[in-house]
Amino acid sequence: MSQRSRRSSSAVTINEVAARAGVSAMTVSNVLLGRKKVLESTRDAVYQAVEELGYTPNAAARALASASQLRLGLIYRNPQSAFLSAVLVGALIASARLGAQLLIRSCDAENEEATAATLNGLVRSGANALLLPPPFCEIVDRSPELLAAGVPMMALSSGRELTHMPGVRVDDYEAARAMTLRLIALGHRRIALIEGPIQHYASATRLAGYRSALAASEIEEDESLIAKGDFTYDSGLVAAQRLLDLPQRPTAIFGFNDDIAAAVVSEAHRRGIVIPDELSVVGFDDTPIAVKIWPPLTTVRQPIVEISDLATQRLVEALRQPKEGGTTTTVHIPFSIIERESTGPVKP
């Protein structure tokens, strides 16, 4: 790599990109903004120069130059996630309503290097603001140098307050606490849970809410009732097998998302365990799978579509009316407990 290519993206100018690509600065601008049709070879040359030089367009300047050029970038990891589907619906609804384009890109891994590469790729492709679901919003918040992309960012469902980024979320702590207290009110004392991955703040926050509810009810915590998961159905199956193999099995299991809880229901059915007579099962999110299984899940309703819609709206507002120094304000959306047939009182 040349010395020039190793320079920081903030030091590279549009004129240098134009010189590398052999075109005018206006042509580079038109390619990056998608304003006019250009030859495919010209467009490829511009994108290659952008990549080689590490050029990051100035999003604020682009927004001022053309208020109609609103391109929001969204990154994701698991395309089969019901949570992601709801995020996409909310972002698409808001983008269409607000006249913005939505650019979507998959991230190879949930780590700092992959996140940085994906964020920079979106910005170089024309995104002038970024919508970050977990755990990417949390990865960026832990690594402030990733904020140097120079574009507004908005977190959604971050699991807890972030230091460097505004967002929209429910109170995961209070939601998990409320669900655990509801199970306790039904007479359950051996309440197991299946966590999400450690890099998701929501997992630790919900665990803290669960523990708070046990302590408030003077129930001694049993570490054997806490199982690891990664917010997938398959991880829920593995965890459910371990929990249901315990000599004294739990009377209730709290899955930290609906996919996990649905897997618990499936494993219970396989073993002939009757829900809710012999085992109560609850989830989190209220995604479509909650009402597609039998019995339908009692769950925490996290209005993901609404969260994504509002986060997208706030991001567009940050572009149209930029504030000096930005904002780190988090907006809280109310959660609710949706009771269905997967829960019941403990049988004597």
Side-chain angles (χ1 to χ4, degrees):
M1 184 182 291
S2 70
Q3 181 66 31
R4 190 177 196 182
S5 297
R6 287 195 294 267
R7 294 170 54 195
S8 69
S9 58
S10 60
V12 178
T13 68
I14 194 171
N15 289 328
E16 290 175 291
V17 174
R20 174 67 67 94
V23 298
S24 69
M26 181 61 72
T27 297
V28 172
S29 178
N30 287 334
V31 168
L32 296 181
L33 291 174
R35 283 177 174 162
K36 297 180 180 179
K37 290 185 178 180
V38 298
L39 293 174
E40 184 175 350
S41 58
T42 300
R43 185 173 62 252
D44 290 345
V46 169
Y47 282 135
Q48 182 177 347
V50 165
E51 186 68 27
E52 290 175 352
L53 294 174
Y55 174 66
T56 302
N58 185 302
R62 290 208 313 270
L64 288 172
S66 177
S68 65
Q69 295 296 332
L70 297 172
R71 292 190 176 90
L72 312 180
L74 170 67
I75 67 176
Y76 70 92
R77 179 73 199 285
N78 179 9
Q80 298 180 336
S81 165
F83 178 91
L84 173 65
S85 297
V87 166
L88 286 173
V89 169
L92 287 168
I93 290 172
S95 296
R97 184 178 70 247
L98 298 168
Q101 296 179 22
L102 189 63
L103 308 179
I104 304 169
R105 183 166 294 188
S106 172
C107 188
D108 294 336
E110 295 178 354
N111 58 47
E112 183 177 329
E113 182 179 3
T115 301
T118 306
L119 295 183
N120 289 331
L122 274 168
V123 173
R124 290 168 189 165
S125 295
N128 47 26
L130 298 170
L131 186 64
L132 304 181
F136 303 110
C137 54
E138 299 152 351
I139 291 170
V140 172
D141 195 63
R142 290 192 296 266
S143 308
E145 63 273 12
L146 297 184
L147 295 167
V151 299
M153 298 184 185
M154 187 69 60
L156 57 90
S157 299
S158 59
R160 75 180 191 208
E161 305 299 298
L162 300 181
T163 304
H164 304 288
M165 193 184 310
V168 182
R169 58 181 289 260
V170 299
D171 189 330
D172 292 79
Y173 174 89
E174 287 297 337
R177 189 175 190 274
M179 179 60 86
T180 306
L181 288 172
R182 177 58 190 146
L183 291 171
I184 292 170
L186 290 170
H188 295 280
R189 294 298 180 269
R190 287 187 60 76
I191 303 171
L193 64 84
I194 303 175
E195 300 178 279
I198 191 171
Q199 64 267 35
H200 288 248
Y201 287 168
S203 186
T205 306
R206 293 171 193 175
L207 176 60
Y210 160 88
R211 286 174 165 159
S212 174
L214 295 184
S217 305
E218 299 183 345
I219 298 174
E220 185 176 354
E221 185 179 336
D222 183 345
E223 287 294 329
S224 72
L225 295 177
I226 298 177
K228 299 294 182 183
D230 64 6
F231 286 149
T232 64
Y233 184 92
D234 288 345
S235 75
L237 284 177
V238 173
Q241 289 162 10
R242 185 184 79 71
L243 292 171
L244 296 176
D245 280 340
L246 290 172
Q248 186 182 1
R249 75 186 186 206
T251 62
I253 298 179
F254 185 176
F256 274 6
N257 75 353
D258 292 338
D259 285 349
I260 288 174
V264 174
V265 171
S266 178
E267 179 61 19
H269 286 331
R270 190 182 72 82
R271 295 173 180 239
I273 297 171
V274 180
I275 299 174
D277 292 353
E278 299 175 278
L279 177 71
S280 286
V281 182
V282 300
F284 202 110
D285 288 336
D286 198 26
T287 50
I289 196 172
V291 292
K292 290 183 178 179
I293 61 172
W294 181 260
L297 279 175
T298 294
T299 187
V300 174
R301 173 172 289 169
Q302 176 178 208
I304 303 167
V305 172
E306 181 182 344
I307 288 171
S308 181
D309 186 310
L310 181 55
T312 304
Q313 179 179 317
R314 294 189 72 202
L315 201 53
V316 170
E317 290 171 355
L319 276 176
R320 287 178 170 162
Q321 298 178 332
K323 296 179 181 179
E324 186 175 351
T327 177
T328 56
T329 303
T330 294
V331 174
H332 287 86
I333 299 293
F335 67 86
S336 54
I337 303 295
I338 306 300
E339 295 200 43
R340 299 191 179 102
E341 289 90 332
S342 68
T343 49
V346 174
K347 300 293 184 180

